[in-house]
Amino acid sequence: MACVSQSVSFDKCFCGQGSHSSILYSILNKDYSKESNYCHFRHHHHPSALGCSCESRKKVVLKIPELTCRLASEVLLKTLNFIKNLPSFCQLPEEDQVLLVQNCWAPLFVLGLAQERVDFDVVEAVAPSLLRRILLNQKSMDGENQETDPNTPTLAEVQRIKLFLLKFWSMDISTKEYAYLKGITLFNPDVSSLRTPHYILALQQEAQHTLNEFIGMMHNGDQMRFAQILLTLSTLRMVSTTSVTELFFRPVLGKVNMNELLLEMLCAKLN
């Protein structure tokens, strides 16, 4: 198992990080400082909340992209190997195979991160300084983009992934449970334009039933565990495919089309 023991600090608001003693900075950034102080207060005095509003605006990137992206690539390869080794998947029409992979690869990948216990840390994305934007009096110069890429994931989006990982690790999910959960996730009958949605629904229900039986056998009929696992799994629906792509694969792949890449990789492994 690959494990990177770096973790995001959930008890510190990004907007409250760093101190700027410059008088010029204080003058130019007066309004932002007031907002940051409010966010910092709200975050620390309301622990039951997901976090302050700045989390949905703060853009972040991997702290150690070289290591984390390598581990992410290994997880993606293992995920595709899992898919291509499922007889029930290989028996589906080719069109359905493509649709399921393109629509379900991101939550399957996050499940893979959980199974391989891949942890990661993020830092704030570098953005142009406030002073530079004021002095230039324009958003771009000589074709250079002065703004952070709008697709760069936010702190809130990354925390959804982190919280999912922490929850699954706390429940000590077994290898077989992960396999059933991947089947439940892959065989998603709600994907649009499927040719065999009813058969795919039956495959999903079979995976759920087998998971329930396995938990009952290994955990003395603990129905609460089954419900908690499925509830936590449902939170993966909130994980953005774009965020997963930008965070884990853009640093090494650039602006490649992930759907085309996945199809190419899947076809290569199926031949």
Side-chain angles (χ1 to χ4, degrees), residues 237-252:
R237 298 172 187 168
M238 300 176 62
V239 173
S240 164
T241 300
T242 299
S243 296
V244 171
T245 301
E246 293 294 323
L247 187 66
F248 295 103
F249 300 104
R250 193 68 70 208
V252 292

Side-chain angles (χ1 to χ4, degrees), residues 13 15 35 38-39 42-43 51-58 156:
C13 175
C15 64
E35 180 184 6
Y38 170 74
C39 288
R42 180 175 177 268
H43 180 75
C52 71
S53 60
C54 71
E55 291 177 351
S56 62
R57 300 192 305 272
K58 186 69 66 178

Side-chain angles (χ1 to χ4, degrees), residues 73-252:
S73 298
E74 293 173 0
V75 169
L76 184 61
L77 285 174
K78 289 181 179 180
T79 299
L80 290 174
N81 274 327
F82 171 83
I83 293 172
K84 70 101 175 180
N85 284 320
L86 282 176
S88 52
F89 175 82
C90 296
Q91 292 169 4
L92 293 173
E94 186 174 313
E95 300 93 320
D96 285 1
Q97 292 182 32
V98 171
L99 286 171
L100 289 177
V101 170
Q102 291 181 341
N103 284 274
C104 303
W105 76 266
L108 285 169
F109 168 77
V110 177
L111 272 172
L113 291 181
Q115 183 173 8
E116 299 299 321
R117 300 192 75 85
V118 176
D119 201 356
F120 60 93
D121 199 2
V122 295
V123 294
E124 182 180 355
V126 177
S129 69
L130 177 63
L131 178 58
R132 182 183 180 188
R133 293 203 302 268
I134 292 175
L135 294 177
L136 290 176
N137 196 28
Q138 56 186 20
K139 290 187 177 180
S140 61
M141 184 177 183
D142 297 330
E144 180 185 359
N145 184 14
Q146 300 295 324
E147 300 294 334
T148 303
D149 189 328
N151 289 326
T152 301
T154 64
L155 177 59
E157 291 169 331
V158 171
Q159 282 193 347
R160 289 191 190 102
I161 299 174
K162 295 285 291 184
L163 290 172
F164 172 84
L165 296 178
L166 291 173
K167 182 64 175 177
F168 256 36
W169 292 338
S170 72
M171 289 191 286
D172 194 23
I173 308 297
S174 70
T175 300
K176 284 194 174 182
E177 285 172 326
Y178 273 116
Y180 301 139
L181 289 169
K182 289 177 183 178
I184 293 170
T185 303
L186 175 64
F187 297 120
N188 182 1
D190 296 327
V191 171
S192 61
S193 303
L194 289 171
R195 287 181 55 188
T196 59
H198 297 295
Y199 177 58
I200 292 171
L201 173 61
L203 292 174
Q204 185 185 67
Q205 291 174 336
E206 181 183 347
Q208 289 177 338
H209 178 70
T210 308
L211 173 63
N212 192 20
E213 284 190 336
F214 177 80
I215 291 175
M217 179 178 62
M218 300 301 296
H219 297 274
N220 299 318
D222 186 358
Q223 288 298 310
M224 182 63 69
R225 178 178 176 83
F226 177 69
Q228 287 177 337
I229 288 177
L230 287 188
L231 180 61
T232 304
L233 184 70
S234 69
T235 63
L236 286 182
R237 298 172 187 168
M238 300 176 62
V239 173
S240 164
T241 300
T242 299
S243 296
V244 171
T245 301
E246 293 294 323
L247 187 66
F248 295 103
F249 300 104
R250 193 68 70 208
V252 292

